């Protein structure tokens, strides 16, 4: 239960901090934090909660990461579904708190976006579905590979949360214009529930592509980069 609560709280913080920076601060009112600030906010949510809770649950905060680590032999299959459920519930709770805060401003309309992900007319840069699918698969794959690399037994544990957070920041710097950056189905689900409409209709993309990317990253890393003695166990 401590592990599941840690995943709930960590994902809650990720959605509140990352999506909150988008909804509340990105364009406020003229000198907002912009794409760079939003990317840093998402990265900082991962850094802070990874340091705080990583020793308890491993700090996945993301169904695609949990799936990738399971495929890569770093995570128990018995824990996979409970972790994913906790992450989704945490994302919903974070989005609910953000919605309550944002609703305090006159004229707020969650259906206008609410930091939800999308393609076509819902893409900040007008990118189409194939572009979004490719970006989400490749970036999630890279994210899982970075996580697996910096959490090797031989790697210094103290630097892992920082590297993972910087990678998450980089991913957002690349892909916010493409689809508002998902690489995390729990993050996408939380805000899509409140945005409704097209955000919900397009939500399947932000489950399918990150899960495929996470599984690819989890499958590729141990084959390419594990020591020879570990490969014999695969």
């Amino acid at each position: 239960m401590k592990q599941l609560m840690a995943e709930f709280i960590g994902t809650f913080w990720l959605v509140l901090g990352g999506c909150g920076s988008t909804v509340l601060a990105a364009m406020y009112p003229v000198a907002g934090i912009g794409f760079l600030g939003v990317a840093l906010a998402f990265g900082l949510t991962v850094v802070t909660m990874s340091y705080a809770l990583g020793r308890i649950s491993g700090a996945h905060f993301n169904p695609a990461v949990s799936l990738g680590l399971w495929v890569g032999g770093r995570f128990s299959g018995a824990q996979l579904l409970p972790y994913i459920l906790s992450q989704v519930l945490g994302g919903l709770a974070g989005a609910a708190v953000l919605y309550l805060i944002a609703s305090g401003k006159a004229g707020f309309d969650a259906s206008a976006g609410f930091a939800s992900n999308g393609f076509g007319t819902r893409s900040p840069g007008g990118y189409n579905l194939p572009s979004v699918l490719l970006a989400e698969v490749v970036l999630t794959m890279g994210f899982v590979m970075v996580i697996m690399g910096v959490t090797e037994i031989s790697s210094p544990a103290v630097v892992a949360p920082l590297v993972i957070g910087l990678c998450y920041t980089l991913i957002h710097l690349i892909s916010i214009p493409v689809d508002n950056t998902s690489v995390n189905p729990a993050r996408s689900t939380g805000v899509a529930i409140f945005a409704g409409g097209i955000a919900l209709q397009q939500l399947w993309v932000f489950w399918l592509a990150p899960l495929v990317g996470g599984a690819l990253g989890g499958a590729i890393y141990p084959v390419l980069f594990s020591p020879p003695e570990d490969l014999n166990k695969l």
Side-chain angles (χ1 to χ4, degrees):
M1 288 304 299
K2 286 183 179 180
Q3 291 175 324
L4 299 182
M5 183 59 69
E7 287 297 303
F8 176 94
I9 292 172
T11 314
F12 168 91
W13 188 245
L14 185 152
V15 170
L16 180 60
C19 295
S21 70
T22 304
V23 173
L24 304 175
M27 302 299 292
Y28 177 82
V30 175
I33 61 174
F35 283 174
L36 176 59
V38 171
L40 286 170
F42 272 102
L44 288 171
T45 63
V46 171
V47 171
T48 51
M49 276 299 168
S50 292
Y51 276 119
L53 303 175
R55 61 187 176 81
I56 298 171
S57 70
H60 298 185
F61 312 147
N62 184 338
V65 170
S66 296
L67 178 65
L69 294 177
W70 172 66
V71 171
R74 299 279 192 89
F75 186 58
S76 167
Q79 293 177 291
L80 183 58
L81 289 180
Y83 260 55
I84 290 175
L85 179 60
S86 296
Q87 293 155 2
V88 171
L89 292 176
L92 285 169
V97 171
L98 176 58
Y99 180 85
L100 292 174
I101 295 170
S103 297
K105 181 178 179 180
F108 168 71
D109 180 11
S111 66
F114 199 56
S116 58
N117 305 110
F119 57 88
T121 59
R122 298 289 291 193
S123 162
Y127 289 85
N128 62 15
L129 177 58
S131 293
V132 168
L133 285 170
L134 182 60
E136 289 291 325
V137 169
V138 172
L139 292 174
T140 312
M141 179 182 70
F143 188 45
V144 169
M145 292 178 70
V146 167
I147 291 171
M148 294 188 72
V150 298
T151 55
E152 290 272 11
I153 295 176
S154 59
S155 300
V158 70
V159 303
L162 182 59
V163 173
I164 293 168
L166 287 172
C167 181
Y168 205 49
T169 300
L170 172 62
I171 287 169
H172 280 77
L173 289 173
I174 295 168
S175 61
I176 288 176
V178 178
D179 61 4
N180 257 345
T181 309
S182 173
V183 303
N184 185 337
R187 166 261 190 270
S188 297
T189 301
V191 291
I193 293 294
F194 289 89
I198 299 176
L200 276 175
Q201 294 171 23
Q202 296 186 352
L203 181 59
W204 66 272
V205 173
F206 304 101
W207 273 90
L208 175 64
L211 290 178
V212 170
L216 285 173
I220 291 171
Y221 183 86
V223 172
L224 293 181
F225 301 111
S226 289
E229 60 271 20
D230 291 341
L231 288 175
N232 292 331
K233 301 175 185 178
L234 297 178

